[in-house]
Amino acid sequence: MEYILVEKLDTKVGLIRLNRPQAMNALNSGLMREVIETLTAFDQDPDVGCVVITGNEKVFAAGADIKEMAEASVVEIMNSEMIGIYDRLRNIQKPIIAAVAGVALGGGCELAMACDMIIAADNARFGQPEINLGIIPGAGGTQRLTRAVGKAIAMEMVLNNRWLSAEEAYQFGLVNRVYSTEVYLSEALRIAAEIAARAPIAIRMAKDAVNAAFELSLAEGIRLERRNFQVLFGTSDQKEGMNAFINKREAKWQGQ
């Protein structure tokens, strides 16, 4: 990998570090391609139950690589795989946690929001400053941001380049937790390890159902939830989990 660092931890957690420090982790097409290829590999790896994506203590990602798109035509942007990769994140079945320190701006904020959870360092800042470039967010920023923080705050961020501090992001529901810069990554990895230790198929079904709540009507979402609930009764993990509960012992998940 040229633009990211990859680790597979013994806690069944996959770790992806964005690694373009000289460009403030700007998300060029090569970096995004490496991220989705690694996520896809982790998704198929039975020894990985959850994935953490992070940058460094000063920057998560300062946005898309502007030099790469400055002279692009409409057709070139429409055919670019870079933005489409964000859509492919939706197809990753295992949970993804963004561990964010420093700035997460533009495409960097969109990448964090495309993950299932965000753990923030106390120095984290979130923004969608595309309006300063004469464009708007194009990888989910207007949609996921509005669903997370509400119309009023999203309008201010998208129209007038308001940035949110880590505490504001927590108050508005954009991030799950805020920790000091010294421990935010270790805490994100701890939470990821806890998730990875749970029933693998149930975790995937649960993620699918929660995501569907933002995409389906209530009736359709409940039907999908019920289907996922019923399907899990065909797994050995369901039998193991309920037997372990009844017999007051710890369950041993097989992912089957």
Side-chain angles (χ1 to χ4, degrees):
M1 296 296 176
E2 183 179 356
Y3 300 112
I4 65 174
L5 302 175
V6 180
E7 295 180 62
K8 190 166 75 171
L9 309 180
D10 57 12
T11 52
K12 299 190 71 173
V13 174
L15 177 60
I16 298 174
R17 296 179 187 264
L18 309 181
N19 189 40
R20 293 188 73 203
Q22 74 285 357
M24 296 188 69
N25 287 343
L27 305 175
N28 64 7
S29 56
L31 184 149
M32 290 303 297
R33 191 182 308 114
E34 291 181 2
V35 167
I36 195 62
E37 288 174 356
T38 303
L39 285 172
T40 301
F42 280 152
D43 209 28
Q44 299 169 353
D45 188 338
D47 293 325
V48 173
C50 188
V51 181
V52 173
I53 299 177
T54 192
N56 57 56
E57 293 181 358
K58 294 182 179 180
V59 57
F60 178 72
D65 193 328
I66 304 304
K67 294 179 181 179
E68 193 173 65
M69 64 174 65
E71 300 300 325
S73 67
V74 173
V75 172
E76 287 170 336
I77 286 296
M78 290 177 65
N79 291 335
S80 171
E81 68 171 348
M82 183 173 65
I83 292 179
I85 284 174
Y86 287 82
D87 299 330
R88 293 170 62 187
L89 286 170
R90 177 65 177 87
N91 297 324
I92 301 299
Q93 297 182 58
K94 294 176 182 177
I96 309 169
I97 298 175
V100 178
V103 294
L105 302 176
C109 187
E110 289 172 312
L111 176 59
M113 291 190 295
C115 297
D116 301 299
M117 297 170 59
I118 302 176
I119 304 301
D122 53 14
N123 72 340
R125 291 183 293 165
F126 300 85
Q128 298 289 165
E130 287 89 345
I131 201 72
N132 293 340
L133 303 173
I135 59 172
I136 68 171
T142 63
Q143 303 303 301
R144 290 191 177 97
L145 184 64
T146 305
R147 284 165 169 76
V149 305
K151 177 182 175 181
I153 301 301
M155 280 291 190
E156 196 172 353
M157 293 177 69
V158 174
L159 270 59
N160 204 33
N161 191 27
R162 176 178 175 177
W163 293 13
L164 298 184
S165 68
E167 284 300 329
E168 287 175 321
Y170 177 74
Q171 292 169 11
F172 293 135
L174 182 62
V175 308
N176 294 78
R177 304 188 190 184
V178 179
Y179 295 103
S180 71
T181 307
E182 290 74 23
V183 303
Y184 83 100
L185 180 55
S186 62
E187 289 295 326
L189 292 171
R190 176 185 62 80
I191 294 169
E194 291 176 353
I195 294 172
R198 302 188 186 280
I201 301 175
I203 286 289
R204 295 200 293 272
M205 289 289 194
K207 170 177 171 171
D208 179 54
V210 173
N211 279 330
F214 293 93
E215 300 167 357
L216 303 176
S217 69
L218 178 59
E220 291 170 329
I222 288 175
R223 279 196 292 270
L224 182 142
E225 176 193 79
R226 191 158 301 159
R227 183 204 67 192
N228 287 5
F229 169 78
Q230 293 166 345
V231 165
L232 287 168
F233 279 77
T235 67
S236 61
D237 280 350
Q238 175 267 327
K239 302 296 185 292
E240 166 64 12
M242 292 190 175
N243 182 271
F245 177 83
I246 292 169
N247 291 286
K248 298 180 172 58
R249 62 176 177 81
E250 186 174 346
K252 296 179 180 179
W253 309 117
Q254 301 297 318
Q256 300 176 353

